[in-house]
Amino acid sequence: TAPTRLGPAYRRFLLAIFVFTLGNSSDLFLMWHAQRLGFRVHTLPLLWMGLNAVRALGATAGGGWSDRVGRRRAIVLGWTIYASVYFAMAYVRVPSIFVLLLLVYGLYYNLIEGAYGALVADLVPARARGRAYGLFHGLVGAATLPASFAAGALYAYTGPKAMFLAGAALAVGGALLLMTVSEARPR
């Protein structure tokens, strides 16, 4: 039999994910930025633990919220938080503000991690989910390498401001594209 079509809503979702992911560089750039702001190397694990504590403590709540308000809305809010934090990171000079932004950044993960997989399941017929998840993860993987390479080049040659602003702009672009995706279940 012919493979089940994945549909236009799923393809728009993939486009939105691709655009967002091109600006979603490795979180290690945040640690390099922390060093640039004066944090000593031995304090970086504490910053990393704080970020991951927010991620762990809010994961269930973020998934539950996406169940109540919709996956698309949760992801758009998550990407908006990402864009806002990255925009602010471009200008932050005060270490305590950096810490606050880093903790807020953890909320982005709370909103998107469970919602991504749930939205894929919502957008495609059950018999096409394996292929849909494969395409989703393949696309994210394919976009992650150039995203971090470009971020590294921007960071090295122009400084963190350009890198953070580019990430924020791509997050906004992805969010705008995602808002065109209907969450109606396919038949």
Side-chain angles (χ1 to χ4, degrees), residues 16-67:
I17 286 285
F18 182 74
V19 169
F20 172 78
T21 303
L22 285 176
N24 186 15
S25 56
S26 170
D27 287 345
L28 290 178
F29 287 106
L30 294 169
M31 296 299 104
W32 287 341
H33 195 51
Q35 283 186 282
R36 192 178 190 125
L37 293 175
F39 287 93
R40 301 215 183 270
V41 172
H42 70 276
T43 63
L44 298 181
L46 295 174
L47 293 172
W48 195 254
M49 286 185 338
L51 169 62
N52 284 288
V54 171
R55 287 178 69 176
L57 293 172
T60 302
W65 193 72
S66 103
D67 289 340

Side-chain angles (χ1 to χ4, degrees), residues 66-186:
S66 103
D67 289 340
R68 287 189 304 280
V69 303
R71 285 75 161 95
R72 186 184 64 183
R73 184 178 287 173
I75 295 168
V76 166
L77 179 58
W79 289 357
T80 301
I81 290 170
Y82 180 98
S84 300
V85 167
Y86 262 51
F87 181 82
M89 286 289 187
Y91 298 99
V92 70
R93 301 288 178 261
V94 179
S96 59
I97 300 298
F98 174 87
V99 171
L100 178 64
L101 288 170
L102 188 67
L103 297 176
V104 170
Y105 180 72
L107 299 175
Y108 140 75
Y109 282 109
N110 297 152
L111 294 167
I112 58 103
E113 287 183 326
Y116 281 172
L119 185 55
V120 170
D122 290 348
L123 292 176
V124 300
R127 63 187 175 278
R129 287 188 185 142
R131 185 164 43 108
Y133 282 118
L135 285 170
F136 168 76
H137 289 292
L139 182 81
V140 169
T144 298
L145 181 61
S148 289
F149 180 79
L154 283 171
Y155 197 95
Y157 297 111
T158 63
K161 182 177 182 181
M163 184 207 79
F164 285 120
L165 291 176
L170 287 164
V172 169
L176 291 172
L177 286 168
L178 187 59
M179 290 181 352
T180 70
V181 174
S182 168
E183 288 189 69
R185 284 196 174 271

